[in-house]
């Protein structure tokens, strides 16, 4: 098995390991869609906003965002966005969009 961030990670065995193995076949496709979503949105967004845009479960998108950050394809900004429940999330931006206007 490939290592994180090239493949879904897990902290310990058990449920975490089983979940990593279960998502592995789809993770690459989801990660590609997540990156494309961020590249289309120059101002950046939260992982949950991206999940909504690509019609994917936020619990599948959040780890892909972390993997893309680890691969230096996305950058975590200091900006925060408050969701409808009142919780805040960081805004991420595609590295390819840094410094671009529009």
């Amino acid at each position: 098995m490939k290592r994180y961030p090239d493949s879904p990670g897990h902290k310990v065995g058990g449920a975490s390991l089983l979940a990593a193995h279960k998502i592995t076949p789809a993770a690459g496709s989801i990660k590609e869609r997540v990156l494309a979503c961020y590249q289309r949105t120059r101002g950046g967004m939260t992982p949950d906003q991206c999940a909504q845009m690509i019609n994917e479960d936020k619990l599948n998108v959040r780890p892909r965002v972390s993997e893309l950050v680890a691969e230096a394809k996305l950058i975590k900004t200091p900006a925060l966005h408050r969701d409808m429940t009142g919780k805040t999330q960081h805004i991420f931006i595609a590295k390819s969009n840094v410094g671009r206007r529009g």
Side-chain angles (χ1 to χ4, degrees), residues 42-87:
R42 293 189 180 161
M45 70 187 100
T46 68
D48 291 5
Q49 289 170 323
C50 177
Q52 187 174 19
M53 288 180 73
I54 65 171
N55 196 29
E56 183 63 57
D57 189 311
K58 64 186 177 187
L59 298 179
N60 290 334
V61 171
R62 291 174 182 169
R64 307 299 73 85
V65 168
S66 295
E67 292 164 4
L68 289 164
V69 169
E71 294 172 4
K73 294 179 180 176
L74 292 183
I75 297 170
K76 181 180 179 179
T77 73
L80 297 171
H81 174 77
R82 190 172 307 275
D83 68 17
M84 64 180 119
T85 68
K87 295 181 181 177

Side-chain angles (χ1 to χ4, degrees), residues 1-99:
M1 182 178 210
K2 294 180 183 177
R3 298 186 64 84
Y4 182 85
D6 297 321
S7 134
H10 55 90
K11 293 183 181 178
V12 294
S16 180
L17 177 61
L18 292 173
H21 284 295
K22 183 177 180 181
I23 192 68
T24 296
S29 171
I30 295 169
K31 190 178 351 180
E32 289 171 6
R33 291 172 41 223
V34 168
L35 181 58
C37 181
Y38 274 94
Q39 289 171 332
R40 286 191 306 269
T41 309
R42 293 189 180 161
M45 70 187 100
T46 68
D48 291 5
Q49 289 170 323
C50 177
Q52 187 174 19
M53 288 180 73
I54 65 171
N55 196 29
E56 183 63 57
D57 189 311
K58 64 186 177 187
L59 298 179
N60 290 334
V61 171
R62 291 174 182 169
R64 307 299 73 85
V65 168
S66 295
E67 292 164 4
L68 289 164
V69 169
E71 294 172 4
K73 294 179 180 176
L74 292 183
I75 297 170
K76 181 180 179 179
T77 73
L80 297 171
H81 174 77
R82 190 172 307 275
D83 68 17
M84 64 180 119
T85 68
K87 295 181 181 177
T88 56
Q89 285 190 321
H90 277 275
I91 303 287
F92 293 82
I93 188 168
K95 185 175 183 181
S96 61
N97 288 345
V98 173

